[in-house]
């Protein structure tokens, strides 16, 4: 059962702001929302994590509405080097910690392929 | 500080053989999780080890196994290789149980991966 839904792909131009939205209707009360960036033939790289409202770091902002059923990763002024696949990750109620029964199977979903052009 | 190190980076095997991949986590990280990535299936969770114990397991057959040593280094093994096992195998380390629900859970540092080709 898929726990996150993202657009398959997005196109943008250098210098624009890009917003990628992830839907996670079944998010649990204690789950955090985490975003990753992946370049071809490399492992994903942590971008940002949040629980509610807004989180900002040096590379991105994460907006989470009050109901937490979605989140939006905002990339300001993208460049060609931001062309990558972006994944959102939230807790997955299927499975869990074999010892305590909690936790998740770390389901990444299909991700969003962002293509930035000149 | 050193990142997550995976070895070997590339390997070619034939059907029926077995393979062992190694992952050295960031110093101090006690959780190591493994993933299989293919163009068709995306990034799929294999299992997670924390303090030498398997704490979480994805939906893969028993041919896929792993272990973690006292220094947190981890290995995964795939026996009786099939063509469909060709993939990029990624490991990730984290301070806390990656599959948990505390702040810091799901904050993973990935290695560069091991590219397995099965002929």
């Amino acid at each position: 059962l898929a726990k996150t839904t993202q657009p398959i792909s997005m196109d943008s131009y250098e210098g624009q702001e890009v917003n990628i939205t992830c839907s996670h209707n079944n998010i649990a009360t204690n789950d955090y929302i985490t975003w990753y960036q992946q370049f071809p033939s490399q492992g994903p790289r942590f971008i940002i994590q949040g629980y509610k409202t807004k989180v900002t770091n040096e590379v991105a902002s994460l907006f989470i509405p009050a109901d937490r059923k979605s989140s939006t990763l905002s990339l300001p002024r993208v460049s060609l080097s931001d062309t990558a696949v972006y994944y959102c990750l939230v807790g997955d109620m299927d499975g869990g910690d074999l010892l305590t029964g909690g936790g998740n199977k770390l389901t990444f979903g299909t991700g969003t392929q962002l293509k930035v052009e000149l | 500080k050193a990142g997550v190190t995976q070895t070997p980076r590339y390997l070619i095997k034939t059907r029926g053989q077995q393979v062992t991949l190694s992952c050295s986590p960031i110093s101090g990280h006690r959780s190591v999780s493994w993933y299989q990535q293919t163009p068709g299936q995306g990034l799929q969770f294999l299992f997670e080890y924390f303090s030498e114990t398997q704490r979480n397991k994805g939906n893969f057959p028993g041919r896929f196994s792993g272990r973690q040593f006292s220094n947190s280094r981890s290995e995964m093994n795939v026996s009786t290789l099939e063509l469909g096992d060709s993939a990029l195998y990624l490991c990730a380390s984290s301070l806390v149980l990656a599959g948990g629900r505390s702040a810091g859970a799901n904050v993973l540092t990935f290695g560069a991966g091991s590219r397995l080709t099965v002929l």
Side-chain angles (χ1 to χ4, degrees), chain A residues 38-70:
Chain A
Q38 187 179 26
F39 298 111
S41 297
Q42 294 185 24
R45 182 177 72 98
F46 170 83
I47 301 175
I48 197 166
Q49 183 182 66
Y51 183 78
K52 61 180 180 180
T53 62
K54 177 183 175 182
V55 179
T56 299
N57 62 22
E58 63 276 9
V59 298
S61 294
L62 179 60
F63 298 92
I64 305 168
D67 66 6
R68 303 198 332 118
K69 292 183 183 298
S70 67

Side-chain angles (χ1 to χ4, degrees), chain B residues 40-59:
Chain B
Q41 297 298 319
L43 196 61
Q44 292 189 288
F45 170 76
L46 281 158
F47 30 66
E48 178 181 8
Y49 286 85
F50 187 88
S51 295
E52 303 179 62
T53 303
Q54 188 180 86
R55 298 297 291 268
N56 219 332
K57 189 175 186 301
N59 298 321

